[in-house]
Amino acid sequence: MTPLISIVLSNHNGSPLLKQTIDSIVSQTYKKWELIIYDDCSTDDSKDIIESFHDERIKPYFADHHEHMVYGFNYGITHSSGDFIARIDSDDV
């Protein structure tokens, strides 16, 4: 059985490269993954970018108040269901 990979992305105001970063994950040849995005109360258009993706493997969470990048990664890890966990930053294209 092919393992599920949980990719955790913590974002805060990362809109300049966020779409490209998510596109780079979606375009991978390995398809058994979930992308857990923790948006840390962004004030730019990150939410619109995240919500523009219609892929059931993308699981967004939107914070009510600003925490910290590490909090977002920990949150994503605890909400993952994969056999392996990978992390990516919002500007990693």
Side-chain angles (χ1 to χ4, degrees):
M1 187 168 176
T2 308
L4 175 69
I5 308 296
S6 294
I7 305 162
V8 178
L9 187 156
S10 183
N11 175 66
H12 178 71
N13 292 336
S15 68
L17 294 173
L18 183 58
K19 182 179 181 330
Q20 288 176 278
T21 300
I22 297 171
D23 280 336
S24 73
I25 295 166
V26 173
S27 66
Q28 294 295 311
T29 57
Y30 187 84
K31 298 296 181 190
K32 195 169 178 195
W33 52 263
E34 66 178 352
L35 174 59
I36 301 162
I37 302 173
Y38 182 87
D39 185 74
D40 194 6
C41 206
S42 292
T43 57
D44 62 3
D45 61 343
S46 290
K47 184 174 183 179
D48 293 333
I49 293 168
I50 294 165
E51 290 179 336
S52 73
F53 287 87
H54 303 287
D55 188 316
E56 66 278 356
R57 298 172 296 178
I58 298 175
K59 300 172 182 172
Y61 296 90
F62 299 99
D64 293 331
H65 60 279
H66 183 61
E67 291 287 348
H68 189 271
M69 182 176 73
V70 174
Y71 179 88
F73 284 122
N74 287 332
Y75 185 92
I77 289 168
T78 61
H79 287 81
S80 66
S81 54
D83 299 311
F84 299 99
I85 296 174
R87 75 167 209 84
I88 191 167
D89 293 320
S90 57
D91 62 352
D92 290 346
V93 186

